[in-house]
Amino acid sequence: MSMASNRADSVRIGCAGWSIPSEHRHLFGPGESVLARYATVFDAVEINSSFYRPHQPKTYRRWAETVPDDFRFSVKMPKAISHEARLRGAGPALDRFMEEVSCLQRKLSVLLLQLPPSLAFDASTVATFLRMLRSRWSGGVVCEPRHASWFAPPVRALFDRHDISRAGVDPAPDPRARTPHGAVHYWRWHGSPRIYYSDYSPADLSRLSADIDAADRTAQRWAIFDNTASGHAIANAIELKTLASQA
């Protein structure tokens, strides 16, 4: 039986991307692709490459067909929307993105919107964008803001109005960024102290496991490791799965 079928109380644990370092390949089952092998252990993945470049609808369709029925995808929204347009006039780019990712069908669970550190909150711009987004997608949306202005009460109220969740991140650009909020509790750990590179200690992972266990059980719960540059994400995610199963 694959580890992916032993999900602990609806907690989805995975990595940003499905690359498997050679030292961890023995932990995975067989498959015709790296994604298929990844899915023998994990039941969730965050697609990051969509931030940098579009993928053809047939590519998303193939990915969806590769994984089991209970596997789910989170997809990062393009930088053309978040960093270049900075949420303004992003309708055409959003239409293109939604046409592509819709080919994941029911296996698409979350859209991730990571904002540039320089982007301050502007209520009118954000409200317009969120209305536009919600007219196209009713599923999970997680925002990862990185400017301090996004952690004020009016932002939380606007997010709640549009059913937008806020990621809980490490390292946190603001202390308030550590704790997720919304219908999707989405922990996104990038590696600390060196972002993308650092390994997490057993104590770090135990703390995260405790936070997940204490979270609202009515919310979707995701934990994604983005410390992939030196290959630590896979080992950290597997250790967190073990802790979650013991909680």
Side-chain angles (χ1 to χ4, degrees):
M1 181 182 295
S2 75
M3 290 176 64
S5 65
N6 293 325
R7 188 158 48 90
D9 193 21
S10 77
V11 181
R12 294 191 179 275
I13 297 170
C15 303
W18 49 81
S19 177
I20 302 174
S22 57
E23 64 267 28
H24 299 315
R25 286 177 190 159
H26 68 284
L27 301 173
F28 294 80
E32 295 183 356
S33 67
V34 178
L35 176 57
R37 293 192 291 275
Y38 172 97
T40 65
V41 171
F42 300 113
D43 66 354
V45 74
E46 180 185 283
I47 298 175
N48 259 207
S49 54
S50 52
F51 176 77
Y52 299 100
R53 63 186 184 279
H55 296 298
Q56 295 183 22
K58 66 180 181 181
T59 300
Y60 284 108
R61 193 173 299 113
R62 183 179 74 248
W63 289 340
E65 292 169 351
T66 296
V67 297
D69 287 344
D70 67 346
F71 192 98
R72 294 294 181 268
F73 292 89
S74 168
V75 187
K76 190 173 181 180
M77 298 178 69
K79 64 178 180 179
I81 294 172
S82 57
H83 288 55
E84 295 169 10
R86 298 170 75 85
L87 308 183
R88 294 177 181 269
L94 186 57
D95 284 338
R96 176 179 179 177
F97 174 68
M98 293 308 305
E99 181 181 358
E100 293 161 358
V101 299
S102 66
C103 292
L104 292 172
Q105 299 184 346
R106 64 184 182 83
K107 293 177 183 176
L108 173 61
S109 183
V110 174
L111 300 182
L112 172 68
L113 176 64
Q114 185 191 55
L115 300 175
S118 62
L119 184 60
F121 176 73
D122 178 79
S124 176
T125 298
V126 176
T128 298
F129 176 78
L130 294 183
R131 284 195 298 270
M132 184 169 59
L133 174 59
R134 278 306 184 200
S135 71
R136 293 159 170 83
W137 169 249
S138 61
V141 177
V142 174
C143 184
E144 183 183 345
R146 292 184 285 177
H147 189 279
S149 61
W150 286 79
F151 299 96
V155 182
R156 183 162 173 163
L158 182 60
F159 278 7
D160 288 347
R161 191 176 312 134
H162 293 278
D163 193 19
I164 306 298
S165 302
R166 193 188 68 222
V169 300
D170 184 84
D174 181 284
R176 295 165 289 184
R178 295 186 185 279
T179 304
H181 170 75
V184 184
H185 281 31
Y186 195 103
W187 286 266
R188 194 165 192 254
W189 279 31
H190 297 289
S192 180
R194 189 182 181 199
I195 193 168
Y196 307 131
Y197 287 88
S198 290
D199 193 9
Y200 283 107
S201 70
D204 293 330
L205 298 173
S206 292
R207 174 170 56 87
L208 176 56
S209 181
D211 288 345
I212 292 171
D213 191 53
D216 183 356
R217 299 301 178 92
T218 66
Q220 289 190 57
R221 293 178 298 162
W222 284 61
I224 294 293
F225 289 91
D226 190 29
N227 53 336
T228 57
S230 293
H232 295 304
I234 289 286
N236 288 168
I238 289 175
E239 176 61 22
L240 183 64
K241 279 177 65 71
T242 300
L243 293 169
S245 68
Q246 296 169 351

